[in-house]
Amino acid sequence: MWGWDEQPQRVLGVFVAADAVFLTELERIGDGQRFRVRQCRQEKIKAPGALWDNAKALAEGVMRLCMTYGLSYGKINICLPRALFFVYEREFPPMERKELSEAVRWDMETNVPFGEGTYWTGFGRHEENLELAALPSEYGRKLVDAMTEAGLGVESLTMEPLQFTHRREGARIAWRDAVIELPAPAAREVWDGEMALALYAALRPYYPCVGVEFLPKGEKARNARLWQTAGNVMLAGVLFVIAVLFAKNLWLLSAADTRLDNLRQEYALVSKARASMERITGGKEEIDAGERILRRLSSERLSWYAVFSVLGASAADGVYLTEFDVQEDGALLCGGRAVNYARLVSYLERLEQDAAVFREKPLLKESAADELGEIRFKIRMKF
């Protein structure tokens, strides 16, 4: 049984009728005996025969309601009709709880009309006597297994009490020393019927001395271990998958970083080689352009050796060439001095005799006497 410190903050009480289920979700307020009904639901469930004979349909119906309306299904307390139980009363003298349990066991083995080991037992005090009850284990086990397979956690299994005496006080219900707050939709329910029994199922674990508990401790432990093991296995599987994906992503990132570094190095080498090739290509283009110009000039005019040879052969006494300047059109502008005009004229005549080597006739561009009486001149020639 639950101790007060072990109680969940929210529990779900379920009463199973012949063709419907009634659910009340209860929430404890603070540390006292105050509670709040969060939701209450009723649903008809189609199943052949009575609903408690079809545990699978019952479990699926409860889970559907929980998923549809957001009900808490981690702690579920189920109340079954008294018609499923063999119930009788017996008076026992005062004794310790352990001794009383043993006495009840022997008494029920004598009086319960079920085969040995085929039923679950429970007892609770009713007025001055003890109320003893037995539930065929096929009902209890099928119900717990079906709920477990559906993902529902069964914490308590009890039977419909002879009386669920409670007081309605406006938007509240009082039972024993418990006060239950009702929200507006829940306040409109008829709390003296099946819905009240769902409320009783939700409240009963807070009052372990009230009513009868039929779910054996071994069944609770087995279910708890089952879900704990399943949860641990699922958690381990999820963590393993996450670890594998994380390791794979780390490996992919490392491989990508390595590849990126290699590409950066290759790009640097290619860029350096490209720059060198561009410099070589540019230098070669300049050289080729210079060679083309030289070839063109060589085909268009005489070599400088031939030019100076002609000028040397045409030299005259008293005439001296002192400067040379190549013009934009390729003509040669020669500057010099002559002792007098007679010598200058004689020099021009000699040049005209070599007219075959000139593309244009030598032309005296300017001449003037300086302060010493010498003639300063410039002759334009084009070979």
Side-chain angles (χ1 to χ4, degrees):
M1 304 304 294
W2 294 346
W4 178 258
D5 294 336
E6 299 172 349
Q7 305 305 318
Q9 288 298 319
R10 292 181 184 177
V11 296
L12 184 65
V14 179
F15 175 71
V16 182
D19 60 349
V21 291
F22 299 82
L23 298 90
T24 299
E25 185 181 27
L26 194 66
E27 180 180 43
R28 190 176 68 179
I29 303 174
D31 298 328
Q33 295 290 88
R34 294 184 60 235
F35 301 89
R36 177 190 299 116
V37 172
R38 295 189 71 251
Q39 293 188 64
C40 54
R41 299 288 172 182
Q42 172 187 353
E43 179 172 302
K44 294 279 186 178
I45 297 179
K46 294 182 179 179
L51 185 56
W52 49 74
D53 289 326
N54 195 327
K56 184 176 180 181
L58 173 61
E60 291 177 351
V62 172
M63 175 54 87
R64 183 170 63 254
L65 272 174
C66 291
M67 298 299 292
T68 301
Y69 298 105
L71 297 170
S72 174
Y73 52 86
K75 304 287 185 180
I76 295 181
N77 310 301
I78 300 176
C79 181
L80 295 175
R82 294 179 68 88
L84 295 176
F85 301 84
F86 174 77
V87 186
Y88 68 101
E89 291 186 7
R90 181 76 72 201
E91 182 179 359
F92 288 90
M95 61 182 70
E96 297 292 335
R97 178 77 180 183
K98 183 177 180 181
E99 296 176 349
L100 180 61
S101 298
E102 190 67 18
V104 167
R105 184 177 68 83
W106 284 106
D107 190 89
M108 296 188 72
E109 287 181 358
T110 303
N111 294 285
V112 172
F114 302 140
E116 183 178 358
T118 65
Y119 59 91
W120 291 350
T121 63
F123 67 93
R125 186 163 297 280
H126 177 64
E127 296 180 350
E128 298 299 326
N129 296 330
L130 288 183
E131 189 175 45
L132 289 71
L135 173 70
S137 57
E138 60 175 330
Y139 286 111
R141 194 174 304 279
K142 286 181 181 179
L143 179 59
V144 172
D145 289 345
M147 290 286 186
T148 301
E149 291 177 2
L152 302 167
V154 179
E155 290 292 322
S156 175
L157 180 63
T158 188
M159 71 176 178
E160 177 184 353
L162 287 174
Q163 291 182 345
F164 177 53
T165 305
H166 57 280
R167 301 188 314 277
R168 181 67 180 271
E169 299 173 353
R172 293 181 177 181
I173 290 178
W175 181 62
R176 291 180 173 265
D177 58 345
V179 177
I180 303 98
E181 305 285 345
L182 298 176
R188 291 192 291 268
E189 295 289 341
V190 180
W191 287 96
D192 56 355
E194 290 88 348
M195 194 65 73
L197 293 174
L199 178 62
Y200 164 77
L203 281 169
R204 207 204 62 77
Y206 293 100
Y207 296 85
C209 295
V210 179
V212 184
E213 173 61 40
F214 291 92
L215 188 60
K217 293 182 179 180
E219 288 295 322
K220 286 185 179 181
R222 185 178 69 84
N223 292 332
R225 286 195 300 271
L226 174 63
W227 278 104
Q228 183 177 10
T229 302
N232 291 337
V233 170
M234 292 179 63
L235 179 61
V238 172
L239 291 177
F240 176 76
V241 172
I242 292 175
V244 170
L245 293 177
F246 183 73
K248 182 179 179 181
N249 288 334
L250 283 180
W251 179 80
L252 291 175
L253 288 174
S254 178
D257 288 340
T258 303
R259 178 58 180 162
L260 184 59
D261 290 338
N262 293 335
L263 290 175
R264 287 195 183 108
Q265 295 176 4
E266 292 177 6
Y267 179 76
L269 292 175
V270 170
S271 299
K272 186 176 180 180
R274 181 180 298 172
S276 300
M277 289 298 297
E278 289 177 352
R279 288 195 298 270
I280 293 173
T281 303
K284 186 176 181 301
E285 291 177 353
E286 293 179 0
I287 293 172
D288 292 342
E291 289 180 351
R292 288 193 298 270
I293 293 173
L294 289 175
R295 284 196 299 270
R296 182 171 59 81
L297 291 175
S298 298
S299 63
E300 292 179 354
R301 60 180 68 138
L302 296 176
S303 66
W304 288 110
Y305 174 81
V307 170
F308 285 110
S309 177
V310 171
L311 292 177
S314 303
D317 293 337
V319 178
Y320 309 97
L321 297 177
T322 59
E323 55 184 276
F324 303 91
D325 185 17
V326 179
Q327 304 294 296
E328 292 181 359
D329 59 352
L332 181 63
L333 187 63
C334 301
R337 58 188 179 82
V339 295
N340 50 46
Y341 276 109
R343 297 292 178 89
L344 177 58
V345 171
S346 175
Y347 178 67
L348 288 172
E349 290 175 352
R350 287 194 176 192
L351 290 174
E352 290 177 358
Q353 291 175 2
D354 296 323
V357 301
F358 295 105
R359 298 178 63 182
E360 296 180 4
K361 180 179 178 180
L363 178 63
L364 181 63
K365 293 289 292 181
E366 58 181 69
S367 63
D370 61 9
E371 63 275 4
L372 299 177
E374 290 184 333
I375 307 303
R376 300 287 180 175
F377 63 86
K378 286 187 179 182
I379 300 175
R380 185 177 186 276
M381 309 174 196
K382 194 167 186 180
F383 295 89

